Amino acid sequence: MLKDKKIVIGITASIAAYKIPFLVRLLIKEGVEVRVIMTPAAMDFVTRLTLSTLSRNPVLIEPFNGSTGEWNSHVELGTWADAMIFAPVTANTLGKMAQGIADNFLLTTYLSAKCPVFIVPAMDLDMYNHPSVKNNLELLSSFGNRIIEPQTGELASGLSGQGRMEEPETICRLIDDFFAKQDDFAGKTILVTAGPTNEKIDPVRFIGNQSTGLMGFSLANEAAERGARVILIAGPTKLTCNHPSITRIDIISAADMHKACLEYFALSDIIIMAAAVADYTFQSPLEHKLKKSDKGLSIELVPATDILLELGQMKKTSQLLVGFALETEDELNNAKEKLKKKKLDFIILNSLNEERSGFGYPTNKVTIIHKSGKIIEGLLKDKKTVARDILDAILSYT
Ligand code: CTP
């Protein structure tokens, strides 16, 4: 899949930079056209001559070549590349990428990328585990970048832990897999719902839930990267998405989500309902702020429409409908029950009893259940990888 692809490799100042000549060689052997960019500080770790010899192209470090007056255009590289691999990426560059800082040629090129971007961090374990680094990685991931996580093992400092840059052979294989899957949803329209809904009580209060939307956004990004046209109906969330194939529709309440789903349902080949939609709402929210009193308060709720149930009844045989089930007890049986009752093709079981899984975590552990009875038990993985597994399962039935 790599033959004739155009790939930019961006190297920053980490000791793992010594492995990049191997990555360049592997890619060149596969028939890739490689352009290497380095930060000035990366030159202390690996030579420009080695990289230009192996990549068969000059190595770019500055926007201009002072001696020849030649101008290197980051914008041109941004449109030229089929993929960019930033490896190794230090905590410093990671922070700048996340915040849109562009104080060197590598960073201006990153901001100009119009292609899929792979970020391969490498740093000492305590730096990697620092909350600011974790936040930056989450932010970069929410922009649609693919993070190739570091491995656990002996580090250059002599310490042992997570921080070792992934090996060049694995990076090369992951890029190859990516191109192999790139167009496998081409021609499909996929409707994804994500995030919570907020049910208004009065002008200042609502009933919501703890969904962040990350699972749904990961599904939307993955589907778009694999060639689908995506309609993302999102409840209130801080997440952003910028893939050109995603049309985002922001909603607030279960009733808004219902309306938006009905509008786009007929257009969609695959419908994935990952949102945590309210089961109950208010008939009519109060016009003015509810005043406190020294008595208890009870407010009457009415059932919200079960959107998935309704879509299951409307579904054509050419459409594939996927629901989620969030369970805390008798998980498998409850999920199977929902699959049958709502006439779904798949149900994705999310158990709140699993550690580091579900609302608020960057990771998830799901069980994918097909209506035929086939069950795929997942491992705890980052939500992007879980999204990939779910789409792989869907693809095997389309
Ligand atoms: N769902 C929906 N409309 C609702 C509530 C839920 O479309 N008003 C969808 C969710 O998007 C999810 C699936 O139904 O795909 C299951 O949601 P879940 O909360 O697990 O189950 P419920 O059917 O709401 O049942 P319960 O809360 O009793 O477990």
Side-chain angles (χ1 to χ4, degrees):
M1 293 311 297
L2 288 172
K3 191 160 170 12
D4 297 330
K5 291 282 186 274
K6 300 186 190 100
I7 295 184
V8 167
I9 298 185
I11 310 175
T12 77
S14 153
I15 183 69
Y18 83 88
K19 293 185 182 174
I20 300 306
F22 294 97
L23 177 62
V24 173
R25 264 195 95 193
L26 287 168
L27 292 172
I28 292 282
K29 262 188 164 168
E30 294 293 330
V32 175
E33 196 177 334
V34 177
R35 302 297 308 266
V36 177
I37 314 172
M38 297 167 83
T39 59
M43 288 198 291
D44 287 335
F45 294 86
V46 61
T47 76
R48 194 174 189 168
L49 182 61
T50 309
L51 289 159
S52 63
T53 308
L54 292 173
S55 69
R56 304 170 189 165
N57 269 312
V59 172
L60 306 173
I61 293 160
E62 304 289 351
F64 350 81
N65 182 334
S67 48
T68 64
E70 206 177 305
W71 161 251
N72 299 318
S73 168
H74 52 92
V75 179
E76 217 170 89
L77 271 183
T79 49
W80 173 83
D82 296 312
M84 291 192 188
I85 310 171
F86 291 90
V89 178
T90 56
N92 179 44
T93 296
L94 212 55
K96 291 181 184 177
M97 284 172 148
Q99 296 308 320
I101 294 170
D103 64 356
N104 62 37
F105 184 66
L106 180 140
L107 287 160
T108 52
T109 307
Y110 163 68
L111 291 177
S112 307
K114 290 213 179 314
C115 58
V117 171
F118 294 81
I119 294 177
V120 195
M123 64 197 75
D124 215 49
L125 75 162
D126 293 319
M127 292 175 84
Y128 188 68
N129 283 323
H130 195 281
S132 61
V133 170
K134 294 275 177 230
N135 279 346
N136 288 334
L137 281 167
E138 268 174 39
L139 202 54
L140 287 166
S141 180
S142 76
F143 299 157
N145 299 295
R146 297 184 160 243
I147 314 293
I148 301 182
E149 290 206 17
Q151 293 306 298
T152 302
E154 198 185 321
L155 303 166
S157 61
L159 297 172
S160 191
Q162 192 179 13
R164 269 171 79 115
M165 188 185 82
E166 183 55 274
E167 293 301 325
E169 290 76 9
T170 311
I171 299 174
C172 193
R173 185 178 48 73
L174 290 171
I175 308 294
D176 190 46
D177 284 355
F178 169 78
F179 282 116
K181 285 183 174 172
Q182 204 180 23
D183 284 329
D184 53 8
F185 282 95
K188 301 273 183 223
T189 299
I190 304 188
L191 171 66
V192 179
T193 66
T197 61
N198 288 351
E199 307 307 310
K200 194 171 168 187
I201 301 175
D202 68 13
V204 292
R205 302 180 181 94
F206 61 83
I207 295 186
N209 61 64
Q210 294 187 47
S211 168
T212 59
L214 186 58
M215 194 62 247
F217 274 63
S218 301
L219 281 159
N221 271 318
E222 176 72 16
E225 279 177 13
R226 290 168 70 165
R229 176 179 167 236
V230 177
I231 297 151
L232 173 63
I233 304 178
T237 165
K238 289 188 188 125
L239 298 179
T240 53
C241 63
N242 62 1
H243 196 289
S245 303
I246 301 180
T247 306
R248 174 172 175 169
I249 294 129
D250 287 305
I251 57 93
I252 295 180
S253 66
D256 300 338
M257 179 151 301
H258 183 209
K259 190 162 164 262
C261 285
L262 290 184
E263 191 175 337
Y264 292 97
F265 178 70
L267 295 176
S268 308
D269 303 296
I270 298 168
I271 302 96
I272 309 177
M273 302 285 284
V277 189
D279 289 330
Y280 293 94
T281 185
F282 298 92
Q283 191 99 56
S284 27
L286 300 171
E287 200 182 325
H288 298 289
K289 188 181 165 211
L290 188 65
K291 287 286 178 198
K292 73 166 173 267
S293 78
D294 45 15
K295 295 201 189 90
L297 172 72
S298 49
I299 22 184
E300 199 180 327
L301 301 172
V302 292
T305 307
D306 188 327
I307 308 166
L308 188 58
L309 181 76
E310 194 173 300
L311 299 185
Q313 282 153 3
M314 294 162 57
K315 184 175 93 84
K316 294 199 218 94
T317 41
S318 59
Q319 289 178 305
L320 194 140
L321 186 58
V322 184
F324 272 67
L326 184 67
E327 305 293 342
T328 55
E329 56 182 350
D330 200 11
E331 291 96 330
L332 199 56
N333 284 332
N334 281 336
K336 283 181 177 167
E337 197 56 41
K338 278 180 196 167
L339 175 110
K340 227 160 111 192
K341 183 174 159 207
K342 302 195 186 192
K343 297 192 168 55
L344 308 179
D345 295 283
F346 282 97
I347 195 145
I348 316 299
L349 167 61
N350 235 165
S351 167
L352 280 193
N353 296 326
E354 298 287 352
E355 272 184 33
R356 299 185 47 72
S357 193
F359 291 161
Y361 290 109
T363 46
N364 211 0
K365 185 174 171 189
V366 301
T367 306
I368 305 173
I369 308 164
H370 184 249
K371 63 180 176 190
S372 64
K374 186 174 174 201
I375 295 180
I376 306 169
E377 293 266 8
L379 300 171
L380 186 71
K381 299 176 182 180
D382 67 283
K383 286 187 174 165
K384 214 166 173 28
T385 314
V386 174
R388 198 167 308 156
D389 291 348
I390 293 171
L391 288 175
D392 285 348
I394 291 174
L395 194 69
S396 63
Y397 282 91
T398 48

